[in-house]
Amino acid sequence: EAGVVQSPRYKIIEKKQPVAFWCNPISGHNTLYWYRQNLGQGPELLIRYENEEAVDDSQLPKDRFSAERLKGVDSTLKIQPAELGDSAVYLCASSLGPDYNEQFFGPGTRLTVL
Amino acid sequence: AQKITQTQPGMFVQEKEAVTLDCTYDTSDPSYGLFWYKQPSSGEMIFLIYQGSYDQQNATEGRYSLNFQKARKSANLVISASQLGDSAMYFCAMREYVGDSGAGSYQLTFGKGTKLSVIP
């Protein structure tokens, strides 16, 4: 069974440029999560989807970040424009049920903003 | 107050020995859950073990066990018979319900992690 797929694995951009990350969850997993992990820290939730509905986006900086999960399967996280402080690893996870039970994580996208 | 505290930035353990990674938590939710994840250098987070606040017995999964001391708000991870492949970052996390009943949501908070190094 394929795990959570994320692309790209690495991205280097200059500040003020846009960037997008893609995530394909495990087949059949209804819940999808986007996390940001800063260096030396644990992951922090950005947004959580139940199917195609964003049920928790309270930590998503909405002035520059956006996300979508069309058709309730794969998802895209976008930053526009990127700032230096956005440099981090962006992790996607999915679970069969809600509420963070048995999440499976992807390998993450390491973003560097110059 | 920090919701999850991991006081050991780094730990060393001899191969085949047991090691305990500390985690304390703070919540007012009576029905919370505690998780431990492993993050190797490759970057993905790997779920290890889960303990519910009402579980009577300590959770165990193979070489992993969770030493759950509810009164002390402590949920330490014990790894027995350490292997070289256990070298990684280990994160403790807590799920709690935040907000008014029926109008809130579950949140998951991670600690800052402990870097475990297994010495041959």
Side-chain angles (χ1 to χ4, degrees), chain B residues 33-85:
Chain B
L34 298 159
F35 302 79
W36 276 93
Y37 286 87
K38 173 183 178 182
Q39 188 175 41
S41 57
S42 53
E44 78 277 20
M45 301 282 284
I46 302 168
F47 166 74
L48 295 177
I49 197 166
Y50 169 79
Q51 179 87 41
S53 59
Y54 293 121
D55 293 342
Q56 295 295 315
Q57 293 189 333
N58 287 344
T60 60
E61 288 287 347
R63 295 186 298 111
Y64 305 108
S65 60
L66 201 151
N67 183 3
F68 182 45
Q69 299 187 41
K70 194 170 183 177
R72 298 180 60 184
K73 295 189 173 181
S74 167
N76 297 339
L77 177 71
V78 180
I79 306 175
S80 63
S82 296
Q83 302 171 357
L84 296 178

Side-chain angles (χ1 to χ4, degrees), chain B residues 16-28:
Chain B
K16 300 181 184 179
E17 297 293 313
V19 63
T20 298
L21 307 183
D22 295 342
C23 173
T24 57
Y25 59 91
D26 186 31
T27 181
S28 56

Side-chain angles (χ1 to χ4, degrees), chain A residues 9 35 37 40-45 48 55-56 58 91 99-107, chain B residues 35 37 39 41-47 50 89 91 95 105-113:
Chain A
R9 289 296 313 277
Y35 292 88
Q37 185 175 19
Q41 304 289 322
E44 295 177 326
L45 182 75
R48 174 165 62 106
V55 296
D56 186 355
S58 57
L91 293 164
D99 304 333
Y100 302 99
N101 282 329
E102 291 199 61
Q103 294 179 86
F104 290 84
F105 282 79
Chain B
F35 302 79
Y37 286 87
Q39 188 175 41
S41 57
S42 53
E44 78 277 20
M45 301 282 284
I46 302 168
F47 166 74
Y50 169 79
M89 286 290 292
F91 290 93
R95 181 189 64 208
S105 66
Y106 282 101
Q107 291 185 2
L108 187 70
T109 304
F110 285 85
K112 292 187 176 182

Side-chain angles (χ1 to χ4, degrees), chain B residues 100-120:
Chain B
D100 295 331
S101 178
S105 66
Y106 282 101
Q107 291 185 2
L108 187 70
T109 304
F110 285 85
K112 292 187 176 182
T114 295
K115 184 175 182 179
L116 178 66
S117 300
V118 180
I119 304 168

